[in-house]
Amino acid sequence: KISVKIVQFLPGLINDQFGNYIIQFLLDIKELDFYLLAEIFNRLSNELCQLSCLKFSSNVVEKFIKKLFNIVNDAVPKYLNGNPAIDSMDDVATAAMRILLTIIDIFTVNLNVLIRDNFGNYALQTLLDAKNYSTVLEYHSGSNIVRPAQLTAFSHEFTTKIGNLVVLTKELLPSIKTTSYAKKIKLK
């Protein structure tokens, strides 16, 4: 498979002005999700903050985050409206959940860098954009929705971590108020 070869050259392609489009194209192929998600993340996780701050690779990071949210958001209705006997998510959704939680941790640790960077702030905005994750938030209303244990655990951890990132981001907003993107971050 050519996708396996391309992933081998991922570090050289991701920040190339043309190579990044190849990686983004691979992310659009749903049939490759099972292989690609973990493989791409494993190869890039140690450099995720740095890659988020580079012109071309930041586009791949944003697309990757959106892809993860799409996978999780597509899985949620299946498990909420489907067979009540289903108590676990599929492997791709589970991997996407795990990777999202790790990305939040990475972005939280590197928030000072990301929020001040011309490209990194876009990856941060993608992660903070509530429209990407409103379906997975944990709500404490009187809702009688029964969620599988795995989704409940993810929702709780995700809500806690994204909430923490939002609070930390709000605390840093005054220090970037003169930048062109401060208003966009505030709106997220």
Side-chain angles (χ1 to χ4, degrees):
K1 292 211 174 201
I2 193 164
S3 59
V4 174
K5 277 289 187 203
I6 291 171
V7 171
Q8 288 176 350
F9 294 101
L10 188 64
L13 290 172
I14 192 166
N15 201 45
D16 180 81
Q17 71 183 57
F18 303 111
N20 80 88
Y21 289 108
I22 296 169
I23 306 306
Q24 290 184 62
F25 176 76
L26 287 180
L27 289 171
D28 285 334
I29 303 172
K30 187 175 178 130
E31 292 78 19
L32 297 177
D33 288 351
F34 185 80
Y35 167 73
L36 274 185
L37 292 181
E39 193 63 32
I40 287 176
F41 186 71
N42 290 339
R43 290 184 179 266
L44 303 179
S45 60
N46 292 334
E47 304 168 24
L48 197 62
C49 178
Q50 178 186 356
L51 292 169
S52 297
C53 295
L54 297 171
K55 183 175 183 175
F56 301 113
S57 57
S58 66
N59 296 323
V60 177
V61 173
E62 285 180 65
K63 180 121 183 185
F64 187 66
I65 291 169
K66 288 176 185 175
K67 172 81 172 183
L68 294 169
F69 277 127
N70 287 338
I71 290 169
V72 172
N73 286 328
D74 287 348
V76 169
K78 292 178 194 173
Y79 295 96
L80 293 181
N81 302 327
N83 184 344
I86 296 174
D87 63 353
S88 67
M89 307 291 279
D90 64 60
D91 291 341
V92 174
T94 299
M97 290 175 182
R98 180 184 51 78
I99 293 168
L100 270 173
L101 292 173
T102 305
I103 289 173
I104 294 171
D105 290 340
I106 292 168
F107 276 36
T108 301
V109 169
N110 295 288
L111 183 57
N112 266 316
V113 172
L114 292 166
I115 202 166
R116 289 176 170 76
D117 185 81
N118 288 335
F119 301 109
N121 82 82
Y122 287 107
L124 178 62
Q125 287 179 52
T126 301
L127 188 61
L128 291 175
D129 195 345
K131 76 174 184 234
N132 287 330
Y133 59 78
S134 60
T135 61
V136 297
L137 287 175
E138 178 181 62
Y139 295 103
H140 292 289
S141 65
S143 174
N144 291 328
I145 296 175
V146 177
R147 292 179 169 211
Q150 187 176 4
L151 181 57
T152 301
F154 169 75
S155 291
H156 176 73
E157 190 171 358
F158 180 85
T159 301
T160 302
K161 288 183 177 198
I162 202 73
N164 181 48
L165 183 59
V166 167
V167 168
L168 293 172
T169 302
K170 284 181 180 179
E171 290 173 2
L172 289 174
L173 281 177
S175 69
I176 63 160
K177 67 181 173 186
T178 59
T179 63
S180 61
Y181 49 83
K183 191 173 189 177
K184 289 180 184 176
I185 292 174
K186 188 175 182 178
L187 292 173
K188 301 291 179 187

